[in-house]
Amino acid sequence: NIDYNRPLYLHQEKAIRNINFGRGAIITTGTGSGKTECFLYPILNDILKSIEEGNNEIGIRAIFLYPMNALVNDQIDRFRSILSKYPKISYGFYTGDTDEKETNTLREKLKEINGVEIPQKERLKNWKFVVLDEAHTYNGALGIELSMLMRRLTSLANIKPNFILTSATLGEKGKSEKDIVEFAKKLTSTNFEEKD
């Protein structure tokens, strides 16, 4: 459950401001400190604002990547609870455990909601966000592979999306900022600064 009356932590406020200003963000803070709120609130706000302004175009607006099925499963109920209040936003979850039948059912459900089949390029027309949760796990060969896949995918978009990285163990405040920024730049092929 979300406590809407609880004030934001400073790191949440800074991340939300960064994302609202159209910048990427690197959120590195301890487990259970509200990293999800740092990106979920501004992303939902952006999507809802766009819809209110008349942009009801169908397609992907945000992609959330989790390195393990357990992390996805941990977030599903939370996302469903929040998104149930916003029926204009359709969403889906895919993991290594999602079988072909479930995938086809979800595709049909999204097609039914949207009413039409959308060409691939058009699906990415309004894509603005990529969230890489537990970003520290994308190192070595996995990091190189993900970076290449992200470059290929973002090359299909009209505008390169903003990347948001989260981690509880990416570095230490006052010591690791330059290394974290370099890591984020290499992983996403996007420009980050220490203020991000």
Side-chain angles (χ1 to χ4, degrees):
N1 290 343
I2 299 172
D3 180 3
Y4 292 101
N5 297 314
R6 185 189 62 74
L8 295 171
Y9 292 117
L10 181 59
H11 69 274
Q12 291 173 321
E13 184 179 331
K14 285 181 175 181
I16 289 169
R17 285 182 191 275
N18 230 43
I19 296 165
N20 281 342
F21 284 122
R23 297 192 59 83
I26 305 166
I27 304 150
T28 176
T29 182
T31 302
S33 61
K35 288 187 286 295
T36 301
E37 289 77 12
C38 289
F39 61 81
L40 188 59
Y41 293 168
I43 290 173
L44 288 177
N45 185 59
D46 186 86
I47 293 169
L48 291 170
K49 183 178 173 188
S50 179
I51 291 170
E52 285 175 8
E53 291 171 351
N55 183 348
N56 292 307
E57 292 177 358
I58 298 158
I60 295 169
R61 305 215 183 191
I63 295 176
F64 300 77
L65 296 175
Y66 295 88
M68 295 178 286
N69 291 350
L71 292 169
V72 175
N73 295 333
D74 187 50
Q75 294 288 333
I76 286 176
D77 291 336
R78 185 181 204 179
F79 279 52
R80 280 188 181 131
S81 173
I82 293 169
L83 292 172
S84 69
K85 296 169 181 67
Y86 306 102
K88 289 186 176 183
I89 300 175
S90 56
Y91 62 94
F93 297 94
Y94 297 92
T95 70
D97 295 333
T98 306
D99 64 27
E100 190 176 340
K101 184 179 177 187
E102 287 176 294
T103 302
N104 289 335
T105 301
L106 181 59
R107 280 189 190 129
E108 289 304 312
K109 181 181 172 191
L110 291 173
K111 190 175 174 184
E112 182 182 307
I113 290 168
N114 299 331
V116 290
E117 184 65 38
I118 308 297
Q120 194 70 32
K121 185 87 171 166
E122 286 297 305
R123 290 182 192 173
L124 299 176
K125 185 177 178 183
N126 294 295
W127 182 29
K128 287 180 75 174
F129 304 101
V130 177
V131 176
L132 301 175
D133 193 47
E134 300 297 337
H136 63 274
T137 61
Y138 300 114
N139 57 21
L142 178 60
I144 292 167
E145 185 177 342
L146 179 72
S147 179
M148 289 180 11
L149 287 171
M150 283 293 103
R151 269 186 254 147
R152 285 180 62 197
L153 185 57
T154 57
S155 72
L156 299 173
N158 294 338
I159 299 170
K160 194 166 191 172
N162 289 334
F163 281 84
I164 302 160
L165 284 63
T166 73
S167 175
T169 59
L170 205 50
E172 190 176 338
K173 188 173 183 174
K175 294 183 178 180
S176 308
E177 285 82 359
K178 285 184 181 178
D179 292 337
I180 293 170
V181 166
E182 285 307 311
F183 170 78
K185 283 180 179 180
K186 286 179 183 172
L187 184 62
T188 65
S189 298
T190 306
N191 189 31
F192 280 97
E193 298 176 24
E194 286 190 33
K195 67 180 179 180
D196 298 326

